[in-house]
Amino acid sequence: MTDQKTEVVYVIQPIENDDYKILHDEIVALIESANAEYAGTIYQHIREINPATYIGEGKLQELKARLEDLDVTVLFNGELSPSQTLNISSALGGKKVIDRTTLILDIFALRAESSEGKIQVELAQLKYMYPRLKGKGEALSRLGGGIGTRGPGESKLETDRRHIRTRIHFLEQKLTETEKRRARQTERRKKERVKTVALVGYTNTGKSTLLNALTGAEVFVKNALFATLDPTARQFEIEGVPFLLVDTVGFLQSLPHRLIEAFHSTLESALNCDLALIVCDASGEYEMQLKTTLDTLREMNFSAPYLVVMNKCDLVPDVANYSSDAVCISAANGIGLDCLKREIMRALKDEFVRVNLFVPYEKTAQYGKLRPLLTETSVTYHDSGSEIAAIIPVIYAERFREFIKEI
């Protein structure tokens, strides 16, 4: 893939601001994340999408002339219909034509490592490819290797429709089994009363770096879009209280809805969390990142409390412009992590109660049975018993009533 060049055709529809500049930088980053090489861009202002070729005849001829002697893939930063893909390819002399969704799916196939992730990627690819297979197998088989052929691969494109449907059905069953297993894990965590904190946000904002910083883990980190695709869970503690920190797949502006649906089971860790940390890149387009994340979460009926975490604050000269509610940190340098931990505990204050206990020595055995339910922060021994400062989940506080000195 390192020698695969991708010509980007960036279609701009009427807009009132400069969002297209952000989207263009993003599509270049996506190309690089797919291990391809960006070759150039043609911009097009259009009033309406041409149902046959997406862009007008004149611009299509201009594109053909520009690419006449180049071995490139043509990428439309939008979503093409099956007929548009074939019509454009034909007009360009048989050049390979893909759209934004195909590119993102290709990156997903490159990044997926867990069995569940691979199933979700292949299922999403097959569902996206299926309508493009109807009567077009020969044309599609000529597309060759490169972007859009990872995962299911070229051989899948040459199979008949019945086989594709059978494969989709099989993958859906496998995914259902993994979803049931994940649901059981979630239910067990709820019974164990382990609070879950989910890292969510735009792709490449430093979520995995933050997970490593808080937990001491060594999760793969790379400066690339969708570097982390499979969910990762690690334990960490704040004041001795255990939490489960879950890293999730990153979001992207205009992320196709079908891709959100494809990874819904993976994102359930965010939906079922006790607290979400929405991580933004303080040195980038953080307002757009936050809006995209919140919009995506709302589409998924997300309702948990959240904190906005401005990461990479060491790269900006002044943090005064950020919301006073945001927590400013640098996960890479460990800056602000103590503050973040305090804010996590503050956000979950209704879940815990700080108490002072006094346990007479004759009741040590009775207290010992309850001890796993709380976190001791200090113990002082006296002649008649132990004085204990502790943090107790609210749901267990009543069990310690006879030992509580004050709340």
Side-chain angles (χ1 to χ4, degrees):
M1 282 298 295
T2 54
D3 61 348
Q4 174 73 29
K5 291 193 175 183
T6 301
E7 178 76 14
V8 179
V9 178
Y10 187 75
V11 181
I12 307 172
Q13 298 193 46
I15 52 176
E16 298 178 357
N17 50 46
D18 292 333
D19 280 355
Y20 76 92
K21 295 178 181 178
I22 299 173
L23 289 173
H24 178 259
D25 291 343
E26 192 170 271
I27 201 68
V28 173
L30 284 169
I31 292 168
E32 293 171 348
S33 294
N35 294 338
E37 183 179 345
Y38 167 67
T41 301
I42 292 179
Y43 295 93
Q44 174 67 61
H45 291 271
I46 57 175
R47 294 181 179 178
E48 60 182 18
I49 294 175
N50 186 310
T53 56
Y54 201 86
I55 58 177
E57 184 65 28
K59 185 60 68 171
L60 200 57
Q61 291 304 313
E62 177 188 333
L63 179 59
K64 180 179 180 181
R66 176 171 175 171
L67 306 180
E68 192 69 41
D69 299 320
L70 299 178
D71 180 19
V72 295
T73 295
V74 181
L75 168 64
F76 277 70
N77 194 12
E79 186 166 317
L80 299 175
S81 69
S83 60
Q84 287 171 339
T85 302
L86 292 167
N87 291 339
I88 295 169
S89 178
S90 177
L92 298 180
K95 281 192 166 31
K96 181 180 178 182
V97 176
I98 64 173
D99 61 9
R100 177 185 171 91
T101 300
T102 303
L103 176 61
I104 294 174
L105 282 170
D106 186 82
I107 297 171
F108 281 8
L110 186 64
R111 299 283 186 256
E113 294 183 358
S114 70
S115 58
E116 182 179 7
K118 291 177 181 178
I119 289 172
Q120 289 177 121
V121 170
E122 183 176 358
L123 186 58
Q125 285 183 311
L126 289 175
K127 286 185 175 180
Y128 190 66
M129 291 175 181
Y130 182 72
R132 289 156 174 78
L133 293 171
K134 297 180 179 179
K136 306 297 183 181
E138 182 181 352
L140 284 170
S141 69
R142 293 199 302 266
L143 296 181
I147 292 177
T149 57
R150 291 191 182 102
E154 183 179 2
S155 63
K156 293 289 192 297
L157 298 177
E158 296 171 341
T159 57
D160 59 25
R161 294 170 59 190
R162 183 173 58 82
H163 178 76
I164 296 295
R165 288 199 304 269
T166 300
R167 181 65 179 170
I168 288 175
H169 179 67
F170 169 77
L171 292 173
E172 286 176 336
Q173 288 183 318
K174 294 284 289 183
L175 192 57
T176 297
E177 293 173 5
T178 61
E179 288 173 350
K180 289 180 178 178
R181 184 167 61 250
R182 186 183 296 278
R184 289 194 296 269
Q185 291 174 342
T186 300
E187 189 61 30
R188 185 170 63 251
R189 288 169 184 166
K190 288 182 178 180
K191 289 181 178 179
E192 294 173 350
R193 306 298 179 182
V194 176
K195 299 300 178 184
T196 301
V197 178
L199 296 171
V200 297
Y202 216 73
T203 182
N204 202 31
T205 55
K207 296 187 298 298
S208 295
T209 302
L210 180 54
L211 181 139
N212 287 343
L214 288 174
T215 67
E218 296 182 357
V219 173
F220 174 72
V221 174
K222 183 179 181 181
N223 184 25
L225 301 186
F226 300 114
T228 300
L229 185 62
D230 299 304
T232 303
R234 297 289 187 273
Q235 282 196 332
F236 76 113
E237 294 183 351
I238 303 177
E239 298 183 59
V241 178
F243 292 92
L244 188 70
L245 189 62
V246 181
D247 190 8
T248 60
V249 61
F251 299 142
L252 196 69
Q253 193 169 7
S254 301
L255 188 64
H257 195 270
R258 63 169 52 86
L259 298 187
I260 297 174
E261 292 178 344
F263 284 83
H264 190 276
S265 64
T266 299
L267 292 168
E268 281 183 353
S269 56
L271 296 179
N272 295 323
C273 69
D274 296 288
L275 176 69
L277 303 182
I278 299 181
V279 184
C280 300
D281 182 351
S283 65
E285 301 291 338
Y286 60 88
E287 291 180 339
M288 177 273 294
Q289 295 168 7
L290 179 59
K291 181 181 184 302
T292 298
T293 301
L294 290 174
D295 288 346
T296 305
L297 289 173
R298 290 188 187 108
E299 285 184 35
M300 300 166 61
N301 298 317
F302 173 82
S303 60
Y306 64 85
L307 292 174
V308 176
V309 180
M310 303 301 297
N311 190 26
K312 307 182 185 180
C313 283
D314 56 315
L315 302 180
V316 298
D318 187 9
V319 297
N321 293 329
Y322 306 137
S323 169
S324 59
D325 295 332
V327 184
C328 296
I329 69 165
S330 170
N333 296 326
I335 299 172
L337 296 186
D338 288 340
C339 178
L340 176 58
K341 291 178 181 179
R342 288 195 297 271
E343 290 302 317
I344 290 173
M345 289 299 288
R346 185 175 289 115
L348 295 172
K349 66 181 185 303
D350 293 337
E351 302 289 335
F352 300 97
V353 59
R354 295 176 183 272
V355 298
N356 289 324
L357 308 175
F358 185 79
V359 181
Y361 289 130
E362 63 268 19
K363 294 188 177 182
T364 299
Q366 179 183 339
Y367 171 75
K369 294 178 181 178
L370 298 174
R371 186 176 178 181
L373 302 178
L374 57 66
T375 298
E376 295 179 344
T377 58
S378 69
V379 180
T380 303
Y381 298 100
H382 300 284
D383 292 340
S384 57
S386 303
E387 188 173 349
I388 301 167
I391 301 174
I392 308 176
V394 170
I395 58 172
Y396 298 137
E398 188 61 32
R399 299 192 188 186
F400 292 87
R401 176 60 58 186
E402 66 175 294
F403 300 118
I404 294 177
K405 293 179 58 178
E406 59 181 276
I407 296 180

